[in-house]
Amino acid sequence: MRDQDGERDGTGEDGRNDTPHEQEPSPDPEPRHNPEPHRDHGPHRDHGPHRDHGPHRDHGPRHDHVPRHDREPQRDEAPRHDHGPRHDQEPRRGRPRSAAAERAILDAVIALLEAGEPLAGLSIERIARTAGVGKATIYRRWSGKEELFVDVVRDMEPDDPQISGTEGLADLRVMLESLRTRGLAQRSSALLHNIFAQMKSHPKLWDEYFGTVIAPRRAAMLAAVRRAVAAGELRDDLDVELIDDLFVGPVLVRTVHRPEAPLPDDLVDRLMTALLQGLAPRRV
């Protein structure tokens, strides 16, 4: 309050300067007044006090009148920085949109293939235009066409089965049944059949599919065979890869090399029974 009075008189800081001036030996009060105008040039420093809008600091205090609140808002400003995290939550809100974009891209490739476009003729630009997304959206998810086409094939095929990871023959049977159902899917879809035919004539694309899809499936089958051997369900004097080929080979022959051969529901059970009992005639 003194500052406000000082501001009105133009003596806010001069009040301090007046004390030195009062100590000067000038008996006349008027000479003081004369120097004071000169200090009023000094009070033009009192524009300095108008910095005493330093009383505006007192407005500051009026803000400081909300001072404690002011400090709490400063804590609240951490939450406002939490607007940052809310922006971070936008990707979370955006994930459904990302899933929708991914779905649109896969559907765009399928639509173009169904329209008769060959795999070799598809470009990222064309796919992006058909999907209604930017090329960057595609490249954020796939490094190139090969990786994208592999995901298109996987999307069209039945999902890989869930296995226990601890059983031997039981897991092997589940995976053989999955191989049979994928063969049925390929037979029933001219598009899927056509894609596989084209993939085999594009070594880079086939290598991508083999490394991403076939190799992990084969590794899972070999692991199941090893568990069966360890559990005493299969002979331990045969090569594990040979045993795996004996189980997988007949299903592959029917699904890939003999498209006219039947794939009945009991095929896997009959195959496993025959292999486990052996092919030699039973001796009486």
Side-chain angles (χ1 to χ4, degrees):
M1 303 296 282
R2 294 175 190 168
D3 286 343
Q4 286 175 352
D5 294 339
E7 185 187 307
R8 287 173 194 166
D9 297 340
T11 56
E13 287 178 3
D14 279 352
R16 292 174 193 165
N17 292 339
D18 277 350
T19 26
H21 196 34
E22 281 169 10
Q23 287 168 359
E24 286 177 10
S26 58
D28 295 337
E30 285 176 351
R32 267 188 222 163
H33 263 290
N34 285 346
E36 222 175 348
H38 279 296
R39 280 191 201 143
D40 272 4
H41 284 297
H44 282 293
R45 288 183 203 163
D46 273 356
H47 275 299
H50 276 295
R51 287 182 203 159
D52 258 348
H53 285 359
H56 277 296
R57 286 182 205 162
D58 269 355
H59 267 306
R62 280 175 201 167
H63 279 289
D64 275 342
H65 195 36
V66 201
R68 295 165 192 169
H69 296 288
D70 239 350
R71 287 174 193 169
E72 285 158 40
Q74 278 178 350
R75 287 179 198 165
D76 285 349
E77 273 172 5
R80 283 178 196 175
H81 275 290
D82 282 353
H83 269 306
R86 283 177 200 167
H87 281 299
D88 282 349
Q89 284 171 7
E90 269 182 64
R92 290 176 196 167
R93 283 199 298 267
R95 275 176 194 165
R97 286 197 296 272
S98 295
E102 191 168 311
R103 182 71 261 161
I105 293 162
L106 295 174
D107 288 346
V109 176
I110 293 169
L112 289 167
L113 292 170
E114 284 176 337
E117 290 288 340
L119 283 174
L122 291 181
S123 66
I124 294 295
E125 290 84 358
R126 180 89 183 275
I127 295 166
R129 191 164 61 249
T130 305
V133 300
K135 288 193 295 181
T137 304
I138 295 178
Y139 282 120
R140 271 197 298 270
R141 289 160 178 77
W142 298 279
S143 62
K145 287 197 302 182
E146 289 77 18
E147 201 175 300
L148 169 57
F149 292 160
V150 166
D151 274 359
V152 169
V153 173
R154 295 188 75 173
D155 184 64
M156 295 176 70
E157 288 185 316
D159 291 337
D160 286 340
Q162 294 292 323
I163 58 171
S164 71
T166 57
E167 299 290 328
L169 285 180
D171 283 352
L172 189 59
R173 187 200 173 283
V174 170
M175 288 183 279
L176 288 172
E177 178 60 20
S178 175
L179 180 56
R180 184 187 75 86
T181 55
R182 284 199 303 274
L184 286 172
Q186 191 171 333
R187 285 184 184 183
S188 62
S189 169
L191 178 59
L192 193 56
H193 180 78
N194 186 30
I195 290 173
F196 271 106
Q198 292 186 61
M199 281 172 63
K200 289 173 186 175
S201 62
H202 292 82
K204 192 175 176 184
L205 178 53
W206 181 253
D207 288 347
E208 180 71 30
Y209 182 77
F210 185 88
T212 307
V213 180
I214 297 178
R217 285 174 182 164
R218 186 163 188 274
M221 296 277 279
L222 285 168
V225 171
R226 289 190 184 96
R227 289 195 295 273
V229 170
E233 296 173 318
L234 294 173
R235 286 168 52 178
D236 61 1
D237 61 337
L238 292 176
D239 179 66
V240 168
E241 292 200 0
L242 174 61
I243 297 174
D244 180 64
D245 289 344
L246 288 171
F247 280 104
V248 176
V251 185
L252 276 179
V253 166
R254 290 209 176 195
T255 55
V256 177
H257 301 293
R258 293 182 55 204
E260 78 291 345
L263 292 170
D265 291 346
D266 64 345
L267 176 64
V268 171
D269 289 327
R270 283 166 48 209
L271 170 65
M272 291 187 73
T273 300
L275 285 172
L276 291 172
Q277 289 179 351
L279 298 178
R282 294 181 183 174
R283 294 177 184 174
V284 181

